[in-house]
């Protein structure tokens, strides 16, 4: 069986499903191929390990494609404050508060599954979109204008435009012969889902230490997600401890403001690497989200920039189609690349700079860092800029406005 679509999106994760929803109700026929449908959400379930800090810009995109209500009706935790400091120097902390720039909050911490479920639910309401799940992709044959995705059940899905939203190991990217620049940060992120003695909090904080940051992300109720960045060896050692020993290490290492930990619900770890596709587009193919870029999660920006890709790519396709241009052509797709690649590169370089500056134990640099935190605390315009950056309100957002106007 051979089925043809105008657009085939491989990967129905947060980014792929957003692109699909943005193309909902258009004249384009769209297929989303996703390997796994996430388990349904129930309020009584404990929080998932995978959570993301979602910026105001990302919230706007999810709202625009009709998925934000689904997120709110499931589970989120808004945060109003963000605090950063270096080991033993909480006095020199910088605290960002949303009220200071007239916003109710800086963003939300949301389980990735909640976002994905809300999007998948939304996209199934559109007549022009087919969700093929579980997809079981066997082979991808890239050919500009008529790429073929062969499924394990022998179905062939033919795409005028193939979109890679299939994550860091993207098979679409590989099939299209697009290379990446990459290196491993010599750091893993150990994520622990816990309940604490404090009721629901409205602050996310991060303490920088010589081996990597320690981060607290508030979740609904008295739940929290802790991220312990450390060397691969240390993380492997921590993962081998039993729950009691691990809790003891958490209490000994995390700052006092964490309060008591009542329960450890789950833990897992993620090797961290930086990866950037050499190009985001070729004739008849476009990459978005982690298939195009993977960045250090210390400032929680990976999916936020992925959702900006999603909005920009959908806008580029819809605009071309509206004016009768070929949306699979390299020249049209390069317009998307121009909007996103440089912006994402700057974000990656900023994360690298943070990683390098804070993992360096050079004494004068340490002094400078603390002066920096102290100054940042006192210089209001600088603080406001950082807040806008964290909220996704700094930098280019043209795709949003344009998409709304279509
Ligand atoms: C520890 C950690 C913390 C993070 N915290 C944050 C944060 O706070 N804020 C933030 O913005 N980002 C954060 N990130 C980054 C964020 O998780 C990623 O950027 C985001 O998940 C990328 O979304 P995506 O849809 O592009 O890719 P993915 O999430 O990888 O989704 C890809 C989808 O494609 C599907 N798929 C893959 N291959 C195929 C195939 N062949 N056929 C069919 N389907 C396929 C998969 O099943 C999946 O559903 C964090 C990352 C880590 C590791």
């Amino acid at each position: 069986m051979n089925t043809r679509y105008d657009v085939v999106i491989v990967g129905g994760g947060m980014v792929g499903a957003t692109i699909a929803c943005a193309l909902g109700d258009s004249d384009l026929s769209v297929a989303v191929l996703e390997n796994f449908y996430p388990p349904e959400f129930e309020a009584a379930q404990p929080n998932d390990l995978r959570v993301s800090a979602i910026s105001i810009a990302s919230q706007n995109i999810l709202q625009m494609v009709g998925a934000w209500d689904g997120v709110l009706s499931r589970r989120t935790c808004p945060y109003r404050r963000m605090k950063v400091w270096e080991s033993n120097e909480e006095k020199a902390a910088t605290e960002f508060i949303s009220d200071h720039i007239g916003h109710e909050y800086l963003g939300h911490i949301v389980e990735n599954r909640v976002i994905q479920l809300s999007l998948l639910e939304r996209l199934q309401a559109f007549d022009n979109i087919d969700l093929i799940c579980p997809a079981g992709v066997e082979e991808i044959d890239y050919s500009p204008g008529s790429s073929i995705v062969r499924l394990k059940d022998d179905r062939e899905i033919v795409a005028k435009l193939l979109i890679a939203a299939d994550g860091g190991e993207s098979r679409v990217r590989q099939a299209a012969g697009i290379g990446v620049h990459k290196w491993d940060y010599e750091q893993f992120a150990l994520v622990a889902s816990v309940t604490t003695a404090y009721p629901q909090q409205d602050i996310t904080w991060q303490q920088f230490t010589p081996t990597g940051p320690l981060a607290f992300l508030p979740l609904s109720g008295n739940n929290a997600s802790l991220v312990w960045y450390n060397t691969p060896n240390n993380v492997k050692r921590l993962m081998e401890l039993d729950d009691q020993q691990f809790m003891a290490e958490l209490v000994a290492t995390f700052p006092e403001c964490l309060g008591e930990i009542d329960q450890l619900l789950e833990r897992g770890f993620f090797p961290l690497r930086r990866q950037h596709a050499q190009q985001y587009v070729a004739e008849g193919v476009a990459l978005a989200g982690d298939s195009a870029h993977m960045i250090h999660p210390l400032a929680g920006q990976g999916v936020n920039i992925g959702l900006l890709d999603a909005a920009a790519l959908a806008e580029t396709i819809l605009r071309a189609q509206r004016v009768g241009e070929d949306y699979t052509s390299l020249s049209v797709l390069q317009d998307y690349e121009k909007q996103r690649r440089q912006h994402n590169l700057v974000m990656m370089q900023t994360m690298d700079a943070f990683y390098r500056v804070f993992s360096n134990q050079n004494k004068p640099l340490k002094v400078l860092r603390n002066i920096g935190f102290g100054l940042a605390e006192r210089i209001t315009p600088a603080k406001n800029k950082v807040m806008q950056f964290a909220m996704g309100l700094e930098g280019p957002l043209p795709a949003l406005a344009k998409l709304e106007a279509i």
Side-chain angles (χ1 to χ4, degrees):
M1 199 170 85
N2 174 324
T3 315
R4 292 177 175 273
Y5 290 91
D6 294 325
V7 179
V8 173
I9 303 167
V10 182
M14 295 184 281
V15 171
T18 299
I19 300 170
C21 289
L23 299 176
D25 276 346
S26 69
D27 294 334
L28 298 163
S29 58
V30 179
V32 178
L33 310 187
E34 168 55 47
N35 274 341
F36 308 105
Y37 202 94
E40 277 308 333
F41 173 81
E42 283 168 34
Q45 290 163 343
N47 280 268
D48 291 348
L49 201 58
R50 295 301 308 266
V51 303
S52 296
I54 293 299
S55 69
I56 300 289
S58 293
Q59 176 189 333
N60 289 345
I61 293 171
L62 294 171
Q63 216 146 23
M64 208 170 55
V65 302
W68 185 245
D69 284 348
V71 171
L72 289 182
S73 70
R74 288 179 170 90
R75 193 157 59 190
T76 75
C77 179
Y79 62 96
R80 301 176 37 247
R81 298 181 293 143
M82 183 171 79
K83 191 169 169 181
V84 282
W85 72 96
E86 190 164 7
S87 337
N88 309 322
E89 298 288 349
E90 202 177 337
K91 292 187 296 290
T94 308
E95 186 168 345
F96 304 93
I97 304 176
S98 63
D99 301 354
H100 293 177
I101 51 168
H103 280 264
E104 204 184 324
Y105 43 78
L106 292 170
H108 286 77
I109 310 295
V110 193
E111 290 153 86
N112 292 3
R113 177 171 62 112
V114 161
I115 300 173
Q116 192 189 7
L117 275 172
S118 307
L119 287 159
L120 293 178
E121 180 181 89
R122 173 71 180 137
L123 71 81
Q124 287 172 82
F126 295 113
D127 289 339
N128 67 319
I129 304 179
D130 287 340
L131 173 65
I132 302 174
C133 180
V137 172
E138 179 73 28
E139 196 185 1
I140 299 172
D141 196 351
Y142 163 65
S143 168
S146 58
S147 293
I148 301 174
V149 183
R150 274 188 204 90
L151 305 186
K152 292 203 166 76
D153 61 9
D154 287 340
R155 271 185 293 175
E156 286 190 346
I157 310 293
V158 184
K160 273 195 202 161
L161 174 64
L162 193 57
I163 295 181
D166 50 349
E169 303 299 331
S170 173
R171 286 181 61 188
V172 174
R173 187 188 65 227
Q174 289 164 32
I178 298 177
V180 292
H181 299 289
K182 70 171 171 183
W183 70 79
D184 286 336
Y185 289 108
E186 282 140 17
Q187 206 168 60
F188 282 7
L190 190 162
V191 182
S193 188
V194 298
T195 60
T196 73
Y198 291 130
Q200 184 163 327
Q201 299 197 48
D202 68 352
I203 187 165
T204 174
W205 50 252
Q206 187 147 198
Q207 179 190 24
F208 289 92
T209 81
T211 44
L214 303 167
F216 170 90
L217 289 84
L219 297 172
S220 60
N222 63 343
N223 293 283
S225 175
L226 306 179
V227 192
W228 188 342
Y229 297 94
N230 213 310
T231 60
N233 282 342
N234 276 341
V235 168
K236 282 181 199 152
R237 181 187 66 79
L238 289 165
M239 286 301 295
E240 279 164 13
L241 299 178
D242 66 31
D243 282 2
Q244 251 186 340
Q245 292 167 325
F246 179 69
M247 293 256 282
E249 292 246 9
L250 273 185
V251 171
T253 310
F254 271 66
E256 267 178 20
C257 56
L258 173 62
E260 273 173 43
I261 301 172
D262 285 340
Q263 220 188 338
L264 169 70
L265 302 171
E266 204 185 344
R267 64 185 138 143
F269 71 98
F270 304 88
L272 302 178
R273 73 169 186 263
R274 172 187 159 152
Q275 181 170 290
H276 206 190
Q278 282 158 359
Q279 62 215 59
Y280 283 13
V281 299
E283 190 88 30
V285 69
L287 319 182
D290 273 23
S291 74
H293 45 73
M294 294 178 83
I295 68 173
H296 197 295
L298 94 162
Q301 290 298 328
V303 77
N304 288 309
I305 61 174
L307 294 179
L308 286 169
D309 295 348
L313 179 56
E315 184 274 337
T316 303
I317 296 167
L318 292 174
R319 183 162 299 276
Q321 202 221 7
R322 171 162 290 192
V323 299
E325 283 182 30
D326 177 4
Y327 55 83
T328 72
S329 71
L330 187 59
S331 61
V332 165
L333 294 174
Q334 274 172 339
D335 185 38
Y336 155 66
E337 181 175 73
K338 266 189 227 131
Q339 290 176 58
R340 297 301 312 148
R341 196 168 188 283
Q342 186 57 27
H343 176 257
N344 292 341
L345 185 62
V346 170
M347 182 66 86
M348 287 177 146
Q349 286 166 341
T350 311
M351 293 311 115
D352 281 356
F354 268 115
Y355 169 75
R356 284 181 209 297
V357 166
F358 284 98
S359 47
N360 193 320
Q361 284 316 295
N362 172 301
K363 270 252 164 64
L365 195 58
K366 220 171 156 196
V367 172
L368 271 179
R369 285 197 300 256
N370 278 310
I371 293 173
F373 276 133
L375 278 178
E377 177 58 17
R378 274 173 243 122
I379 303 175
T380 308
K383 269 177 85 173
N384 292 351
K385 269 249 177 284
V386 174
M387 269 192 278
Q388 280 169 332
F389 172 82
M391 294 161 87
L393 302 177
E394 179 67 22
L397 285 176
L400 278 173
K402 281 196 253 166
L403 189 61
E404 266 170 348
I406 283 175

